[in-house]
Amino acid sequence: MSRWLSIIGVGVTMTTALTLYAVKLDTRALALHVASLEQQIERTEAAIGLLTAERAHLARSSRIEPLARQHLGLQPMQPEQLASVADVPWREEVERYRRQQAARQLLSGRAVDSGEEPNAEVLAARGRGAVRFDADGNR
Amino acid sequence: MRWSVHREHTSQPPDMPRSGTPRFAPAPPARKAPRTQPRRPRRRRALLITLGLMVGFAAIGGQLVRLGSQGGAAFTSARVEPLGRMAARPDIVDRKGRLIATDIEMHSLFADPSRVPDVDEAIEALRKVLDDLDEKALRKDLSDRSRRFVWVRRGLSPAKAQAIHEQGLPGFGFRSELRRVYPGGAGLGAIVGYVDIDNRGRAGIERFIDQQGAADAVFAPERSGREPVRLAIDLSVQAALADELQQALSRYAAKAAAGVVLDVRTGEVLASSSLPAYAAGDAAAALDPALTDRMLGGTYELGSVFKVATLALASEAGIIEPGRTFDATQPITVGRFRIDDYKPKRRSLSAEEVFLYSSNLGAARMAEEAGDTLQRRLLTRLGLLEPMATEVGTLPAPQLPKNWGRIHTMTVAYGHGIALAPLQFAAGMAALVNGGQSVKPHFLRQDKAPQAASPVIGPTTDQLVRRLMRLNVAHPEGTGGRAAVAGYDVGGKTGTADVPIAGGYSKDAAVTSFVAAFPMRAPRYLTYVVLFEPRPEAGVDRAATAGLNAAPTTARIIRRIAPMLGLAPQYDNDGS
């Protein structure tokens, strides 16, 4: 019994020692990894800072405005161009058109974005078996 | 027996194995081994030791498992570079988060001439990357072997620094430094300010950041981890304002133009421009007196725009009643001063008429009747008589009459004999259209509305001021008709002040201005436009009064900025 205990003891001791050593090695490797990651973060942050500055420089009004005028034919918005949705006269017709389009899409087997299941009639019309759609309309 | 030797060791303290060496010394004594009765105490001791050791090992094992599963403490590396103290500054952004100022890491190339083996080869290699290299100067620097350090180029972009690094030139090295850049700072020199070579704020918001302790001293170039400083400025509004002022500058051949857009409830400065302007970070321009920001940096006699305050004064004093008129039949002479109207009506005028015709005589009579005590109290409560502190520094102190006598009460009523920074005046006017809450101009975005204090003016005055300002633009006889913008209910007041020269006032140089608020039913924003020495618009007008230049400029500005500020036009009753 004592012999077994001793053997187990030796085993445990050696395992412990090895594990400890492995952990120590791992720690050192991890520390190096952390240091390199931190350096990478620092570099990336510097690059982000630089790119943000560059983006802001490119997006400045004094540059965008002449470009928009010259190439897009845009000009400053005038108050007369503002209207609320309620002021749009044929809103109902747009709504009807939109509904027709949705129905047509359903019949042609295209995706619907509502996530609703196409009903049996539609499936029958399509002449295929039941196909499940997820919310994005993918089969 | 084999174990006897080890048994002797068991008399050692039980914590021995913790000393580290994985010796197999403290053998676990067997439970069964000693059977004889006399050995019993030893056996028990051995058992205890064994147990102790097992507990010890279990503890170590447990600790290993814990370390293995959890990972060590955070590791931080410090890199110290031999650099002077510099400051990492928070970014500056506009009210919508668009970048105005930021720190970027720039690389500076230096050389140690004593360690450059071949000067020609080095210059040849550098020329591939730096096409604007001053070869002569560099050759001279590098040939001087007694020197150990010469700057070759400071502030290189990372791409160029990398390209040079890849050339692998011996004797050359890089240092990285923080540089402040202002990608969105066009025309904001007076507000944002500038920093010195150590990245310390020296003027404007940059100095304010240092005063708040938000600029951190760093040894290595690292970006500030602080939240960006959010200005009240809206870059879109600012650009529109500056553009319209620039057009006004050439249209009226004015010497200078300045304008501001304030939120009347919070005092936030949404845009402030003074032309000619200079960019943020431009220290040389900031010190050029010809480029002084006229909105924040100078005091001027502003003229009849003060009649808004005079009207409020008369109303507060209770001297405006239905049917009440003010004598404007003849010029007033006090000592060597003579007060007269620009276009005299030579009759008594009602309060409305005094305001709409911008009668100096009528305003002088109103102020005289209200009295200088009440006048000064109102102006003080509007914040017009004391130096006004803002985040970008204290505005130049108002220039007031030394002994505030009867004549001064009269001239101040129409804006003469008192000189103010236009921004201070604009902030004072905000209190007259926002229901009487006095406000200070703020260059930093205010997330909370200021606490309501006791109003400076009563509801009757508030209504009267708003009604007459609106009337001045909407009424055909008002001086501000050209400031009208359909749908935005603009109200305002003109001011044409002669420029003081030695011994009196200039006959043909004037400061024209227009203070406006919109929408007048419940004002949200206030604009104040000042033109310095404008001329009549070529081929259109014969005069150069505020109603002909500052007012239409204001209308153009409001047309552009109101949609940006999220105000939809409202057309009702009179179609305006």
Side-chain angles (χ1 to χ4, degrees):
Chain A
M1 185 62 192
S2 78
R3 193 183 178 86
W4 280 114
L5 268 179
S6 306
I7 290 169
I8 292 169
V10 170
V12 168
T13 313
M14 284 178 66
T15 319
T16 309
L18 282 175
T19 317
L20 195 64
Y21 190 65
V23 166
K24 199 185 166 197
L25 275 182
D26 278 359
T27 313
R28 197 177 295 171
L30 282 176
L32 281 176
H33 186 57
V34 166
S36 89
L37 281 182
E38 280 189 350
Q39 218 175 34
Q40 201 179 326
I41 288 170
E42 217 170 86
R43 269 205 303 268
T44 312
E45 272 180 355
I48 290 173
L50 193 73
L51 291 173
T52 318
E54 231 169 83
R55 189 199 165 279
H57 182 68
L58 291 175
R60 68 194 189 276
S61 304
S62 54
R63 176 172 171 273
I64 295 294
E65 198 186 317
L67 287 179
R69 279 182 197 271
Q70 193 186 335
H71 297 295
L72 301 176
L74 298 180
Q75 49 184 313
M77 181 165 52
Q78 300 299 320
E80 295 77 33
Q81 294 172 303
L82 292 175
S84 72
V85 179
D87 298 337
V88 181
W90 44 71
R91 205 153 45 110
E92 280 158 32
E93 280 172 43
V94 172
E95 197 51 48
R96 198 181 310 139
Y97 174 76
R98 205 176 276 157
R99 251 179 269 134
Q100 280 174 2
Q101 286 294 312
R104 214 164 283 158
Q105 277 188 347
L106 266 179
L107 287 168
S108 67
R110 274 278 161 71
V112 264
D113 59 4
S114 60
E116 293 166 30
E117 292 239 2
N119 61 29
E121 261 171 80
V122 177
L123 290 173
R126 231 191 280 140
R128 288 190 226 139
V131 182
R132 289 193 71 86
F133 290 79
D134 64 19
D136 294 329
N138 301 314
R139 249 168 276 175
Chain B
M1 182 170 177
R2 269 180 73 196
W3 296 111
S4 58
V5 180
H6 300 289
R7 286 254 178 88
E8 295 307 313
H9 283 266
T10 54
S11 59
Q12 283 184 357
D15 60 343
M16 195 206 70
R18 286 173 185 258
S19 62
T21 43
R23 265 173 65 196
F24 183 49
R31 259 191 308 170
K32 287 184 191 169
R35 273 166 208 269
T36 46
Q37 202 66 358
R39 299 190 85 166
R40 194 136 198 140
R42 282 185 86 180
R43 197 180 137 194
R44 179 166 290 173
R45 198 164 58 190
L47 195 68
L48 277 175
I49 290 166
T50 310
L51 272 175
L53 288 176
M54 285 176 109
V55 168
F57 275 116
I60 292 173
Q63 175 76 346
L64 277 175
V65 168
R66 196 179 68 82
L67 284 175
S69 63
Q70 162 189 62
F75 174 85
T76 51
S77 71
R79 290 187 303 148
V80 179
E81 288 185 38
L83 283 172
R85 281 165 75 91
M86 51 187 159
R89 317 181 60 76
D91 288 352
I92 300 176
V93 299
D94 86 337
R95 68 182 297 115
K96 291 185 177 155
R98 285 169 290 198
L99 191 66
I100 293 173
T102 188
D103 279 346
I104 59 171
E105 199 180 326
M106 292 278 226
H107 303 271
S108 293
L109 179 66
F110 67 90
D112 177 351
S114 68
R115 302 171 96 193
V116 177
D118 187 338
V119 173
D120 290 317
E121 194 187 322
I123 289 178
E124 187 63 32
L126 285 177
R127 202 170 46 189
K128 281 185 207 150
V129 182
L130 307 170
D131 32 359
D132 54 342
L133 191 68
D134 183 354
E135 288 184 36
K136 259 189 193 163
L138 184 58
R139 191 180 303 276
K140 194 168 153 250
D141 279 345
L142 292 182
S143 303
D144 184 358
R145 300 252 160 193
S146 62
R147 293 176 71 179
R148 296 298 309 271
F149 187 93
V150 291
W151 282 119
V152 179
R153 180 65 63 89
R154 297 187 78 165
L156 284 167
S157 71
K160 287 201 164 172
Q162 185 65 34
I164 293 171
H165 178 71
E166 279 164 10
Q167 303 273 347
L169 298 169
F172 286 83
F174 290 102
R175 282 193 178 169
S176 48
E177 300 175 298
L178 280 181
R179 281 281 180 87
R180 193 69 161 165
V181 292
Y182 299 90
L188 290 176
I191 295 167
V192 174
Y194 54 90
V195 295
D196 64 12
I197 190 79
D198 294 326
N199 229 18
R200 296 266 171 205
R202 283 287 171 260
I205 291 293
E206 294 283 25
R207 189 176 61 179
F208 178 77
I209 289 173
D210 281 50
Q211 285 166 351
Q212 300 294 307
D216 306 298
V218 289
F219 291 93
E222 55 192 44
R223 291 164 50 73
S224 169
R226 291 175 186 270
E227 282 291 296
V229 173
R230 201 171 269 258
L231 298 191
I233 298 275
D234 181 321
L235 282 182
S236 314
V237 178
Q238 175 75 23
L241 174 69
D243 185 43
E244 291 299 339
L245 288 177
Q246 187 63 53
Q247 289 182 36
L249 203 63
S250 52
R251 187 178 302 119
Y252 307 111
K255 212 172 100 187
V260 69
V261 181
L262 288 181
D263 183 317
V264 297
R265 290 184 245 179
T266 59
E268 287 170 297
V269 179
L270 294 167
S272 169
S273 180
S274 168
L275 300 177
Y278 55 96
D282 189 344
L287 301 173
D288 182 351
L291 293 177
T292 302
D293 190 292
R294 288 167 189 254
M295 187 49 72
L296 331 165
T299 59
Y300 308 94
E301 285 187 283
L302 297 171
S304 305
V305 283
F306 256 82
K307 283 171 191 157
V308 183
T310 306
L311 180 73
L313 168 68
S315 169
E316 286 294 290
I319 54 180
I320 297 181
E321 295 153 356
R324 176 69 209 269
T325 58
F326 298 89
D327 175 23
T329 47
Q330 49 191 326
I332 304 172
T333 311
V334 181
R336 60 189 179 90
F337 292 96
R338 186 168 181 277
I339 301 171
D340 202 356
D341 284 345
Y342 178 66
K343 285 180 179 164
K345 297 281 179 194
R346 298 285 174 250
R347 62 179 170 91
S348 287
L349 303 170
S350 69
E352 277 90 347
E353 287 173 319
V354 168
F355 196 78
L356 293 195
Y357 303 151
S358 195
S359 164
N360 295 342
L361 293 170
R365 295 281 184 215
M366 280 182 184
E368 188 187 17
E369 197 171 331
D372 67 316
T373 317
L374 210 56
Q375 184 185 38
R376 266 182 295 176
R377 191 192 300 161
L378 178 68
L379 295 182
T380 307
R381 294 184 75 183
L382 292 176
L384 298 183
L385 299 189
E386 272 142 29
M388 186 173 263
T390 72
E391 294 95 345
V392 303
T394 305
L395 301 179
Q399 291 170 315
L400 310 172
K402 283 197 191 75
N403 306 302
W404 199 298
R406 174 166 168 255
I407 179 64
H408 301 112
T409 297
M410 286 179 163
T411 61
V412 166
Y414 59 93
H416 280 75
I418 181 170
L420 283 178
L423 178 64
Q424 183 164 6
F425 174 76
M429 290 304 104
L432 292 181
V433 294
N434 70 0
Q437 297 296 325
S438 63
V439 293
K440 273 185 162 190
H442 287 291
F443 287 93
L444 294 185
R445 184 168 148 171
Q446 307 294 302
D447 290 322
K448 284 184 287 189
Q451 286 212 321
S454 71
V456 179
I457 53 169
T460 326
T461 307
D462 173 57
Q463 273 180 18
L464 178 76
V465 168
R466 285 192 288 118
R467 184 170 66 83
L468 285 192
M469 282 177 80
R470 174 69 191 131
L471 206 59
N472 195 33
V473 172
H475 194 274
E477 287 199 66
T479 50
R482 297 201 191 186
V485 180
Y488 285 111
D489 196 21
V490 178
K493 180 73 190 85
T494 51
T496 306
D498 293 332
V499 173
I501 51 173
Y505 285 93
S506 164
K507 278 275 162 268
D508 44 33
V511 174
T512 66
S513 62
F514 194 80
V515 58
F518 64 95
M520 221 56 215
R521 285 177 215 94
R524 294 281 312 277
Y525 301 101
L526 179 136
T527 63
Y528 187 44
V529 170
V530 192
L531 299 175
F532 296 85
E533 302 183 25
R535 298 189 186 289
E537 186 178 358
V540 180
D541 292 318
R542 292 228 191 101
T545 53
L548 300 177
N549 46 46
T553 304
T554 299
R556 287 164 180 273
I557 291 167
I558 294 176
R559 280 182 73 84
R560 268 181 84 168
I561 66 171
M564 291 180 193
L565 295 170
L567 289 179
Q570 289 188 357
Y571 307 98
D572 48 29
N573 50 54
D574 54 353
S576 58

